[in-house]
Amino acid sequence: QVQLVESGGGLVQAGGSLRLSCATSGRTFSIGAMAWFRQAPGKEREFVAAISRNGGNTDYPDSVKGRFTISRDNAKNTVYLQMNSLKPEDTAVYYCAADRSPSVTRASTYDYWGRGTQVTVSS
């Protein structure tokens, strides 16, 4: 099994930045691609970013492209999400996800999930 723990969420003003971290533990050697999703109240879970096992391939939806950057440090078993130019519509619970497949996907089919961290952007 793999455990994921997110951190770094909080309250920030519009235009500000936050850096989320996701620490993994357990059978980390089995982890391939990793991703971030978010879910706002009353809305469906939304894909935010994904990164391949070796970090060479990333994917973002248009809503965050150019503002968010996903990265990973496999030596530290950690994935990051740098969020800049935050907007009130970015407010959500952000979830880290890990897959046994090495390839990125936007689908919510990842094998392992964290419990989430709240990000609130005030206007």
Side-chain angles (χ1 to χ4, degrees):
Q1 282 290 349
V2 173
Q3 294 77 43
L4 308 176
V5 178
E6 302 95 337
S7 62
L11 174 63
V12 64
Q13 288 187 333
S17 298
L18 280 176
R19 188 195 196 201
L20 304 183
S21 298
C22 173
T24 66
S25 60
R27 298 171 63 89
T28 56
F29 61 87
S30 67
I31 295 175
M34 297 193 70
W36 289 92
F37 290 77
R38 66 187 181 188
Q39 188 166 19
K43 295 187 177 181
E44 294 186 352
R45 187 169 294 184
E46 176 189 18
F47 169 74
V48 175
I51 187 167
S52 59
R53 181 184 182 93
N54 64 6
N57 187 24
T58 58
D59 188 27
Y60 307 90
D62 288 343
S63 58
V64 307
K65 192 174 293 183
R67 299 189 298 122
F68 290 10
T69 302
I70 188 171
S71 61
R72 67 191 293 171
D73 185 337
N74 289 336
K76 295 183 178 180
N77 296 318
T78 302
V79 66
Y80 306 96
L81 184 68
Q82 178 67 43
M83 304 185 295
N84 299 328
S85 302
L86 282 162
K87 305 175 182 179
E89 51 263 44
D90 294 319
T91 295
V93 177
Y94 282 70
Y95 297 91
C96 176
D99 203 27
R100 285 171 288 185
S101 169
S103 302
V104 302
T105 177
R106 296 189 176 193
S108 301
T109 55
Y110 287 73
D111 295 307
Y112 309 105
W113 292 82
R115 294 189 174 185
T117 185
Q118 176 70 46
V119 172
T120 303
V121 184
S122 62
S123 57

